[in-house]
Amino acid sequence: MDTLTGLLEGPKARGAFLLKSVFNPPWSLRVEDRAPISVVTMVRGDAWVLPDKAHPVRLCPGDVAVIRGPDPYTISDRPETDVQIVVGPEQRCNTTDGEDVTETMALGVRTWGDDSRAGSSVMLSGTYQAPSEIGRRLLAALPVLLIRPAEAGDNPLVHILAEEISKDEIGQELVLDRLLDLLLVSVLRTWLAVPESGAPAWYRAQSDPVVGPALRLLHEQPGKAWTVASLADTVGVSRAGLARHFTTLVGEPPMAYLTGWRLTLAADLLREPDATVATVARRVGYSGAFALSAAFKRVRGVSPQEYRQAYRRGGRIHTAHHLSAPTQTVVLDR
C-alpha cells in the first residue's frame, strides 16, 4: 500500500448525509453543522461559497467544492444576499427567525428547497459526519476551501450522483456513499498532483528517491521494530543521511513520523468492536497494552480506553493531538 492509498482509504462515507437542494434567487444558507468535511457541486445555476476563514469563490455548474470543517460557511446565489436559513447540527434547518423548516421544505427523496422543483439553482451536497483518523491526517492538510473546476475534473461522477441522489432503491445509501467517496478522492488526487497547490510535505516527499521508499516501508510495515539505522539500511543510505533528508522533506524525524502513524492506525483500530488494546498494540508495533497506552496518552492526552469509550458513545473525541490546518482558498487551474 503506498502512502496516498493508505490515507485516502480513511475518508469513507458511512451513511453520509446527501441532499439535492433546489432554490430560486435570492437564496442564502448559513451552514453551522460542524461537519468535518463537505462536498458541494452545482448542477444548475451558480453559487458563491463564503467561508468564514478564507476567500469566497464562485461555484459554476460542474465545479466541485471541498469544504473543510468544522468552521461555519455560507452558500448563496450572490455574496451580498442576506442569510435566510441556518443549517445546524444533525442537518436541522431553521430560518433566521427561528422557524424549523427541515420538514416543511422537503420536496421528496433527498430533495429539499423551494416549492418549485424547477428552481434555477440546483445544488448537490454530501457531508461526512466522522472521517477516520487516517483520513483526518490527510484532511487536516486541506485548505479551508478547495475548488476543482468542471473542466479540470471528472464530470461523469457529478452527473451520476445527480441521477442517483433522488432514487429510493435497495442499497441506495451504499451506492451514494461510494459515489461521494469517488468524487472526494478524485478532487484530492487532482489537488495533490498540482505543483505548488499546498500539498502536505509527506505527500511531496513520496517522489524523493530516498525518503519515498522509507515512507512506503513505514506505511506498509508499521508493526516492524524499525530504527533509523534499520530503515536506512533497508533503503540503502547512511543513518545520518536518511535522518537529515527525511526531516528536511517531511518536517519531522523518521521515528517521530512513525509514532504518529502508528497512533493514527491504533485510533482507527480501537473503533473496531472486537479490538482490545493489547491486540491493537501488537498490530501497530508496540510490545503490549501498557506501551501503547503510555504513548497514546502522551501524544493524544487521553488513554486508548477513554478514546474508544467516547467513540462508542457517539460523542466527539477531543484529544490533545492536532494537526495545524491551512486557512486559504485553493482553486485548481481551469
Side-chain angles (χ1 to χ4, degrees), residues 14 35 95 102 104 118 158-159 164 172 224 236 247 252 269 304 315 320:
R14 295 177 178 85
T95 66
T102 308
T104 58
V158 175
H159 296 322
E164 294 287 337
Q172 193 65 19
K224 187 172 180 177
T247 303
E252 59 184 335
L269 292 172

Side-chain angles (χ1 to χ4, degrees), residues 74-204:
T74 300
I75 301 182
S76 59
D77 65 321
R78 298 174 63 84
E80 61 270 21
T81 300
D82 292 335
V83 172
Q84 299 160 350
I85 295 172
V86 178
V87 182
E90 300 183 358
Q91 304 301 316
R92 301 302 300 182
C93 301
N94 292 274
T95 66
T96 52
D97 294 329
E99 178 187 358
D100 189 332
V101 292
T102 308
E103 308 300 335
T104 58
M105 291 185 67
L107 299 174
V109 177
R110 300 184 195 88
T111 306
W112 190 87
D114 293 342
D115 291 337
S116 172
R117 291 174 184 258
S120 60
S121 299
V122 178
M123 177 176 70
L124 308 180
S125 58
T127 301
Y128 287 78
Q129 302 299 324
S132 73
E133 288 291 325
I134 294 177
R136 197 178 302 276
R137 185 177 179 90
L138 173 62
L139 299 179
L142 280 171
V144 167
L145 176 59
L146 174 63
I147 303 288
R148 188 195 63 184
E151 53 268 36
D154 191 358
N155 284 326
L157 281 176
V158 175
H159 296 322
I160 295 171
L161 182 61
E163 292 176 359
E164 294 287 337
I165 199 167
S166 299
K167 292 182 180 179
D168 189 16
E169 299 180 2
I170 294 175
Q172 193 65 19
E173 183 176 282
L174 179 61
V175 170
L176 293 173
D177 280 351
R178 297 295 78 81
L179 284 172
L180 181 61
D181 288 341
L182 287 171
L183 191 58
L184 173 62
V185 170
S186 68
V187 175
L188 296 182
R189 282 177 26 169
T190 302
W191 170 60
L192 291 169
V194 174
E196 309 302 325
S197 66
W202 50 258
Y203 176 78
R204 298 193 302 270

Side-chain angles (χ1 to χ4, degrees), residues 3 10 40 42 71 98 113 123 126 151 187 189 192 214 231 238 241 244 259 278 313 324 330:
T3 307
V40 176
M42 297 302 295
D71 294 322
M123 177 176 70
E151 53 268 36
V187 175
R189 282 177 26 169
L192 291 169
L231 187 61
S238 70
R244 181 175 59 254
T259 296
R313 288 195 302 267
S324 60
V330 173

Side-chain angles (χ1 to χ4, degrees), residues 261-279:
W261 178 240
R262 283 173 168 171
L263 295 180
T264 294
L265 290 172
D268 269 349
L269 292 172
L270 286 166
R271 298 180 180 189
E272 296 180 359
D274 298 328
T276 67
V277 177
T279 59

Side-chain angles (χ1 to χ4, degrees), residues 263 266-267 270 277 289-311 313 317-320:
L263 295 180
L270 286 166
V277 177
F290 179 80
L292 173 60
S293 296
F296 205 96
K297 178 77 171 182
R298 182 181 69 253
V299 174
R300 292 175 172 259
V302 295
S303 69
Q305 292 90 342
E306 291 168 335
Y307 178 90
R308 181 166 54 189
Q309 289 167 4
Y311 173 74
R313 288 195 302 267
I317 303 168
H318 299 281
T319 73

